[in-house]
């Protein structure tokens, strides 16, 4: 159910043209958990997804500060290579 929840939230952000990263996903989940209407994602589902993300301790490697001269996400490439 957590994968479904994250997928729906990411799809909603993408359709709105919002940059997708750990911070924006977390903020969207917080809003939903607080009662923001989303359609198919309930506040309980958002709370479960937030709890799972906290256990993962992920960082947002796709921030503008990580982009190198050639505009490729260098930090994300290093992270993926490891």
């Amino acid at each position: 159910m957590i994968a479904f929840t994250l997928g729906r939230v990411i799809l909603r952000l993408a359709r709105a043209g919002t940059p997708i990263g750990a911070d924006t996903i977390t903020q969207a989940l917080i809003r939903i958990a607080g009662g923001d209407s989303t359609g198919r994602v309930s506040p309980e589902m958002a709370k479960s997804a937030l709890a799972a993300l906290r256990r993962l301790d992920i960082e947002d490697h796709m921030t503008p500060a990580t982009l190198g001269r050639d505009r490729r996400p260098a930090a994300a490439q290093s992270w993926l290579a490891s």
Side-chain angles (χ1 to χ4, degrees):
M1 192 53 74
I2 291 169
F4 172 81
T5 301
L6 291 174
R8 295 295 300 173
V9 168
I10 291 168
L11 183 60
R12 180 178 170 197
L13 292 170
R15 285 182 177 159
T18 304
I20 298 170
D23 291 336
T24 55
I25 293 168
T26 302
Q27 292 303 315
L29 288 168
I30 290 169
R31 284 191 303 275
I32 295 167
D36 186 19
S37 175
T38 63
R40 296 180 64 180
V41 177
S42 70
E44 292 78 22
M45 293 164 64
K47 289 174 188 175
S48 294
L50 281 168
L53 290 177
R54 284 188 197 110
R55 287 190 301 268
L56 292 175
D57 191 32
I58 44 179
E59 296 178 26
D60 193 345
H61 294 284
M62 300 298 287
T63 60
T66 63
L67 296 176
R69 273 186 279 181
D70 58 356
R71 303 294 299 160
R72 290 192 288 173
Q77 289 171 349
S78 299
W79 177 74
L80 289 172
S82 60

